[in-house]
Amino acid sequence: MDLFNNATTSTGASNSVLSVPTYVDASTGMTSNEVKHGLDELQGQHNSTASIAVQILSVESRLSNQLNRLLFSPPVAYVYNPLNYAWETHSMFVTKFGNTKKRILFVGMNPGPWGMVQTGIPFGAARLVQDWLGIVGTVGTPPVEHPQRRVQGFQCPRTEVSGQRFWGFFRDICITPENMFKNCFVYSYCPLSFMHTSGRNITPPELKSSDRQAIMEMCDSSLAQIITVLQVDIVIGIGKFAEYRIRETVKRNSLNVTIGCILHPSPINPSANKGWKEAVLKSMQEMNILHIVRGDQLHQCI
């Protein structure tokens, strides 16, 4: 069972059309209109001639709309979908860092309450997203919020420990985001975050079997598409749950990739509180990928 975080949207989630930000990325030159035009062209079909970022966003848009139609059984009382209300900043992230082929795809499980739920970025602790990734923008709110799990966007006063550990690690070893994203990308397997009436987080393994199966069928399919679009060689699960879904997806779709796993950074995970950074460094050294992650393929990892 993987360890991840909380969140929330009403069980009757909105099927509103996803919007794109007024944003121009310096590295790709893509404007928001070009992203939207690409999504419109890709509506309902896969177009390999479109930019990689637009293809990723198209896959995520379709997945989001599919998931929005689901209703969940108790004990789920709230479901947040950041791809609805935080699409602006999420599409900035994909456009800025996901517009080229990659060698490694890191896959998280689902949004944390003070990370992606707030910013729309996987493991997206607000300060690190703004200061290191260089992304800031407007974040809306879910249709229905738990009073103790309000979405405050970049004004959120709380820090996502998992996100602080995760992006802090890559900041320390890669120095710049450009070094990391030269060869790597980060993707959230499921964009939904589930919550009990009490505000307690509900993880996908805790969902009713039929609800969990419906989610996995949709998310597995989208994961396979993301792996194919990015043409990665290595897919790494952040935690055991993500690793298992990767293995099932790769097997079912006969994808030719290497699968790995790193320790989940959640403070709920006792092992992560005993030197998470050191454990991940060791795992990457054992997989001989540290030099790839750092964007320095000319030198072997040390």
Side-chain angles (χ1 to χ4, degrees), residues 137-213:
T138 302
V139 176
T141 57
V144 178
E145 294 182 274
H146 190 284
Q148 296 178 352
R149 292 291 184 269
R150 299 290 186 186
V151 173
Q152 297 174 280
F154 287 84
Q155 305 306 314
C156 181
R158 295 191 58 168
T159 298
E160 175 89 344
V161 175
S162 294
Q164 191 172 38
R165 287 174 174 172
F166 183 80
W167 291 117
F169 170 83
F170 288 104
R171 178 196 59 198
D172 291 345
I173 69 167
C174 299
I175 311 303
T176 69
E178 290 72 24
N179 287 338
M180 177 195 173
F181 289 104
K182 177 181 179 181
N183 296 315
C184 303
F185 192 64
V186 182
Y187 176 73
S188 181
Y189 169 80
C190 176
L192 303 184
S193 188
F194 308 95
M195 188 175 297
H196 192 275
T197 53
S198 66
R200 179 182 66 83
N201 179 53
I202 298 173
T203 65
E206 296 175 288
L207 296 173
K208 184 178 177 181
S209 177
S210 58
D211 292 345
R212 186 171 63 250
Q213 187 61 38

Side-chain angles (χ1 to χ4, degrees), residues 58-299:
S58 178
V59 170
E60 293 186 308
S61 175
R62 288 195 298 270
L63 174 62
S64 178
N65 288 331
Q66 290 171 346
L67 292 171
N68 282 342
R69 300 185 182 101
L70 297 179
L71 297 175
F72 295 93
S73 307
V76 175
Y78 298 84
V79 184
Y80 284 10
N81 184 351
L83 295 190
N84 285 348
Y85 61 81
W87 180 257
E88 174 178 318
T89 47
H90 181 79
S91 60
M92 287 181 183
F93 172 73
V94 175
T95 301
K96 185 174 185 178
F97 297 120
N99 204 37
T100 57
K101 293 189 299 182
K102 308 296 182 183
R103 294 192 61 188
I104 300 175
L105 177 64
F106 290 95
V107 180
M109 185 57 237
N110 74 326
W114 318 117
M116 187 171 176
V117 162
Q118 301 294 330
T119 64
I121 314 299
F123 293 95
R127 184 55 60 89
L128 277 166
V129 169
Q130 183 172 341
D131 294 348
W132 194 61
L133 297 180
I135 294 174
V136 65
T138 302
V139 176
T141 57
V144 178
E145 294 182 274
H146 190 284
Q148 296 178 352
R149 292 291 184 269
R150 299 290 186 186
V151 173
Q152 297 174 280
F154 287 84
Q155 305 306 314
C156 181
R158 295 191 58 168
T159 298
E160 175 89 344
V161 175
S162 294
Q164 191 172 38
R165 287 174 174 172
F166 183 80
W167 291 117
F169 170 83
F170 288 104
R171 178 196 59 198
D172 291 345
I173 69 167
C174 299
I175 311 303
T176 69
E178 290 72 24
N179 287 338
M180 177 195 173
F181 289 104
K182 177 181 179 181
N183 296 315
C184 303
F185 192 64
V186 182
Y187 176 73
S188 181
Y189 169 80
C190 176
L192 303 184
S193 188
F194 308 95
M195 188 175 297
H196 192 275
T197 53
S198 66
R200 179 182 66 83
N201 179 53
I202 298 173
T203 65
E206 296 175 288
L207 296 173
K208 184 178 177 181
S209 177
S210 58
D211 292 345
R212 186 171 63 250
Q213 187 61 38
I215 286 176
M216 290 191 303
E217 287 179 2
M218 296 176 183
C219 293
D220 284 359
S221 176
S222 294
L223 175 59
Q225 293 176 64
I226 296 296
I227 292 171
T228 301
V229 167
L230 287 171
Q231 301 179 47
V232 295
D233 304 311
I234 304 166
V235 186
I236 297 177
I238 305 167
K240 290 296 183 182
F241 190 99
E243 180 194 14
Y244 182 74
R245 295 319 313 159
I246 292 166
R247 292 192 181 279
E248 290 295 298
T249 298
V250 167
K251 180 180 179 181
R252 186 176 299 113
N253 293 275
S254 301
L255 299 173
N256 185 25
V257 296
T258 299
I259 301 169
C261 183
I262 60 173
L263 187 66
H264 196 286
S266 172
I268 300 174
N269 182 352
S271 298
N273 299 324
K274 301 175 182 178
W276 181 82
K277 178 179 179 180
E278 291 74 18
V280 173
L281 275 172
K282 181 180 179 182
S283 295
M284 289 187 178
Q285 288 171 333
E286 290 173 349
M287 290 185 280
N288 194 29
I289 62 169
L290 189 56
H291 59 294
I292 303 174
V293 172
R294 292 186 314 214
D296 180 9
Q297 299 183 56
L298 298 178
H299 298 85

